[in-house]
Amino acid sequence: MVELKAQTPFGELLPLHIGDMTVAARDLGQLTVLGVSDRAGLSKALEAAHGVALPEPLQSTAEGDAQCLWFGRVEALLVGPTPDEALAKHAALVDVSDGWAVAELQGPGAEDVLARLAPVDLRDAAFKSGQTLRSALRDMPASITRTETGFLLMVYRSMAATLVQELRRAMEAVASRR
């Protein structure tokens, strides 16, 4: 009988250290897409159940281990806890935990690395801690969130190795100029 073993999306590809920058895999717990049908009701239910409000566009909210990211015009992503059943009255709930690869890019050159890969302005002056967006990261659809220490990058699990390859190239280019 074949014995299957669960693997992380990045396998042995991470962590990656180049120059003074690091990329490490992150396990955020359960990831649940909330397809919003009743914004006001969902926000109240989220606050009551998980202590986080439904975020405004391009924002995130957090409390303890729970975080909620803006994920699109009528979508949010609940990060961490298993969603309370009360949320289902105001949104469609879809567990997407196994579908995403999550990494955090840190270090003084992180903005320069992402400037080579994303067509959006991610400099601190324009993109503050807690802000989040969906954009292309090279050719990959991604969610990018600025954290206190760097950037949280989420891509589809099938693109995990491509993300590492693109980050490695950009990090090497940035490190060679320092």
Side-chain angles (χ1 to χ4, degrees):
M1 176 186 286
V2 175
E3 193 172 316
L4 300 177
K5 295 182 182 177
Q7 292 187 358
T8 65
F10 296 105
E12 301 297 319
L13 298 173
L14 293 179
L16 179 62
H17 307 279
I18 298 175
D20 52 5
M21 297 164 286
T22 302
V23 178
R26 291 281 310 273
D27 181 1
L28 301 179
Q30 185 165 333
L31 304 176
T32 306
V33 171
L34 309 174
V36 181
S37 58
D38 172 14
R39 185 167 178 77
L42 179 59
S43 191
K44 287 179 185 175
L46 270 170
E47 287 191 57
H50 302 292
V52 295
L54 189 62
E56 294 297 320
L58 304 176
Q59 301 296 318
S60 66
T61 58
E63 181 64 42
D65 292 336
Q67 185 176 19
C68 194
L69 307 176
W70 175 84
F71 221 52
R73 192 171 61 80
V74 292
E75 290 184 337
L77 183 70
L78 179 62
V79 177
T82 301
D84 188 272
E85 292 178 16
L87 303 181
K89 295 176 185 173
H90 311 285
L93 309 178
V94 181
D95 182 353
V96 295
S97 305
D98 291 333
W100 290 87
V102 184
E104 187 165 14
L105 172 63
Q106 298 177 323
E111 287 180 2
D112 296 329
V113 168
L114 292 178
R116 293 172 174 269
L117 301 174
V120 292
D121 186 356
L122 298 173
R123 293 174 298 161
D124 189 46
F127 194 68
K128 302 286 186 198
S129 180
Q131 288 189 292
T132 189
L133 56 79
R134 299 283 299 266
S135 179
L137 195 61
R138 189 58 106 174
D139 295 325
M140 298 168 282
S143 172
I144 304 168
T145 304
R146 185 181 278 272
T147 66
E148 294 287 329
T149 58
F151 293 91
L152 193 65
L153 308 173
M154 297 175 59
V155 297
Y156 294 124
R157 184 184 183 108
S158 63
M159 300 192 175
T162 303
L163 175 65
V164 173
Q165 178 183 13
E166 295 295 346
L167 286 172
R168 178 187 305 275
R169 285 183 188 153
M171 290 167 71
E172 288 171 347
V174 169
S176 72
R177 296 183 179 272
R178 292 185 176 248

